[in-house]
Amino acid sequence: MPANTPFTVTPYSVEGRIDYQQLLEEFGADELTDEQRKRFPGPGHPLVRRQIFYAHRELDRILDAVAAGEQHALVTGRGPSGPMHIGHIIPFYFARYLQQHAGTDVYIPLSDDEKYLLKEQSPASISEHTRANLLDILAVGFDPERTRIVVDSADADVVYPIATVLSKEITQATVDATYGDPPNVGLSFYPAIQATHLLLPQFVDGRQPTLVPIAVDQDPHVRVCRDVAAKERYDVEKPGALLSKFLPGLGGPGKMSSSDDLPSILLSDDRETVHEKIQRHAYSGGRTSVTEHRKKGGNPEIDVAYLLLYYFFEDDDETVERIASEYRNGSLLSGELKARAAEKVADFLERHQQRRHALGLLTDELEAYRLTPEERTRALGRAGYPERSLCRTT
Ligand code: TYM
């Protein structure tokens, strides 16, 4: 595709071949530096090392807090409109990594309201997806002491009053300019709900640096929230953001999306299905014949099987480099590369599925992750609702 092809990236539409560099200029975010990459705790996450998380807003606030052992939080969520694919789960595994290595408090909102407003689905269908998605998120293995999960409809007692307060700071003109004309008044209001998610750790536990690791499509929500947080009437910091590129769909570099024509790799796929989807559909950077491939080699940069390994599914940098060079020099064939990627993805999914199957009833499992009555009261208090307010006493 020629350079400067138009593309769109908003929370509600991702189209065209994304120029990630250009997007930074449009969004006004900063590129991650080597120095910042080195400051991440633990052995370093491949998503950071390999620049899949490639941009940020005020990341140093969090990195400073991590280095000083100070309280800090992370918020990353899910809009439950269908089964989760392997792209959706990436921010959650990254959140778990930070929690394990830096004691991060993790907040996970599920925007069932947003997806009802956006998709042609009944409340019953969204509710089923919410339940299934929650099991997948629980299977990631967060520490219940340091993790809170909120579902907009189920935690409306705390989410709605705070969103109401915040919504007064967001004009319709801002919504139109940031997201395009919303198709209904519900989606006009929704940015106030996602702003509530992003500020929730600070409403619950007081002012603290907060990081939002997301793919770039969600950045507009962060921008709106940061403007709201800048108003002096709230004692909160602007949340920072860590922005990732999209895990590619099977059809080629671009976003893996449930609405693609080609299938996505779902968290529920078994080994055989993963092999079948990758062998049959993954866009290949190999040559048309084995002889030509052996002679001229393939191009890993556009090869989806390779990109899956590079983005997330092969931890070891040396192995990734070896695979790339063997592919380039023609000794590794496209079918072989696909088989390797499929094995790695299937291994990952098998471990995920085992943890998911080991879970009990959703309502029981969720209990330890819900906001406590004290946390709800504190959050509403910080949003300005007095002690006698009915929303704080029911
Ligand atoms: P949703 O459900 O569309 O996506 C969930 C998360 O996955 C990211 N994502 C991807 N990451 C890498 N590669 C991909 N192909 C890919 N596709 C999606 C999304 O950027 C997102 O981080 N409105 C949100 C849910 C939400 C939320 C929040 C997210 C509600 N409150 C607060 C972050 C913080 C949504 O619909 O995400």
Side-chain angles (χ1 to χ4, degrees):
M1 203 179 280
N4 300 326
T5 320
F7 61 89
T8 319
V9 177
T10 76
Y12 305 133
S13 155
V14 177
E15 274 162 33
R17 172 79 62 90
I18 304 161
D19 180 334
Y20 286 104
Q21 251 10 73
Q22 191 183 323
L23 203 59
L24 287 195
E25 281 157 39
E26 277 173 30
F27 282 5
D30 299 313
E31 199 159 0
L32 220 65
T33 63
D34 283 343
E35 208 177 304
Q36 286 171 324
R37 264 182 224 111
K38 284 190 207 124
R39 292 187 69 204
F40 272 83
H45 198 283
L47 289 167
V48 174
R49 283 202 309 271
R50 299 184 193 153
Q51 303 178 35
I52 310 306
F53 277 118
Y54 79 113
H56 73 99
R57 292 177 187 279
E58 278 189 283
L59 176 65
D60 289 322
R61 283 288 302 133
I62 278 279
L63 293 175
D64 290 347
V66 168
E70 286 164 9
Q71 186 172 26
H72 62 279
L74 176 157
V75 183
T76 200
R78 161 76 181 144
S81 57
M84 288 174 86
H85 62 59
I86 52 179
H88 293 134
I89 206 69
I90 284 183
F92 296 96
Y93 274 94
F94 180 74
R96 188 190 69 172
Y97 173 88
L98 271 195
Q99 183 168 72
Q100 284 173 340
H101 292 281
T104 309
D105 287 336
V106 174
Y107 280 66
I108 302 174
L110 270 84
S111 51
D112 54 346
D113 49 350
E114 174 193 25
K115 291 299 154 146
Y116 173 72
L117 293 162
L118 192 63
K119 304 275 176 177
E120 289 303 319
Q121 283 188 41
S122 65
S125 153
I126 295 286
S127 170
E128 272 318 298
H129 294 313
T130 305
R131 296 179 76 90
N133 288 184
L134 279 169
L135 288 170
D136 276 315
I137 290 167
L138 289 169
V140 172
F142 291 101
D143 172 3
E145 295 280 310
R146 291 196 170 278
T147 308
R148 290 292 174 265
I149 297 178
V150 292
V151 178
D152 287 341
S153 63
D155 295 291
D157 61 324
V158 63
V159 172
Y160 181 69
I162 300 178
T164 305
V165 168
L166 300 184
S167 70
K168 213 165 170 182
E169 314 290 349
I170 305 171
T171 64
Q172 188 61 46
T174 298
V175 173
D176 295 349
T178 313
Y179 306 88
D181 287 349
N184 54 57
V185 291
L187 279 179
S188 272
F189 181 73
Y190 178 74
I193 301 263
Q194 194 143 330
T196 303
H197 299 158
L198 304 187
L199 297 177
L200 199 55
Q202 301 193 71
F203 280 119
V204 171
D205 268 335
R207 196 179 175 100
Q208 58 185 297
T210 306
L211 183 68
V212 186
I214 40 177
V216 280
D217 61 331
Q218 296 295 309
D219 184 65
H221 286 305
V222 177
R223 296 204 304 269
V224 168
C225 179
R226 283 168 60 84
D227 287 348
V228 172
K231 311 272 166 175
E232 274 174 19
R233 81 172 71 169
Y234 311 108
D235 188 18
V236 291
E237 286 193 19
K238 291 183 188 182
L242 187 57
L243 303 173
S244 82
K245 298 176 186 168
F246 292 112
L247 184 77
L250 289 174
K255 182 190 178 199
M256 178 167 280
S257 163
S258 322
S259 37
D260 276 352
D261 294 340
L262 289 177
S264 309
I265 302 175
L266 302 179
L267 296 182
S268 54
D269 283 346
D270 60 22
R271 192 168 288 275
E272 202 186 324
T273 309
V274 173
H275 274 273
E276 208 263 338
K277 283 184 179 173
I278 291 182
Q279 285 293 354
R280 172 141 22 147
H281 300 292
Y283 184 81
S284 168
R287 303 283 173 172
T288 39
S289 73
V290 172
T291 326
E292 205 195 344
H293 188 90
R294 292 268 186 237
K295 207 155 94 194
K296 296 186 180 155
N299 178 2
E301 261 119 65
I302 55 163
D303 190 289
V304 168
Y306 174 77
L307 292 174
L308 288 173
L309 293 170
Y310 182 82
Y311 269 59
F312 191 63
F313 293 97
E314 174 55 67
D315 277 353
D316 185 55
D317 291 343
E318 273 178 29
T319 308
V320 167
E321 271 166 38
R322 202 180 55 246
I323 291 173
S325 85
E326 287 175 6
Y327 200 54
R328 274 196 203 98
N329 71 25
S331 57
L332 183 68
L333 297 175
S334 175
E336 293 166 343
L337 176 56
K338 285 183 173 185
R340 281 181 86 148
E343 272 304 284
K344 283 300 236 181
V345 174
D347 289 346
F348 170 87
L349 290 181
E350 209 167 83
R351 290 193 295 275
H352 179 85
Q353 290 160 9
Q354 274 163 5
R355 287 194 298 271
R356 194 182 195 275
H357 287 142
L359 294 169
L361 271 182
L362 175 63
T363 39
D364 296 345
E365 295 286 347
L366 203 54
E367 203 47 44
Y369 296 88
R370 299 198 69 183
L371 290 169
T372 64
E374 295 72 34
E375 288 167 343
R376 285 169 202 267
T377 300
R378 286 207 305 266
L380 290 165
R382 287 201 175 90
Y385 290 86
E387 242 166 74
R388 280 170 47 79
S389 179
L390 284 177
C391 66
R392 290 182 63 183
T393 50
T394 46

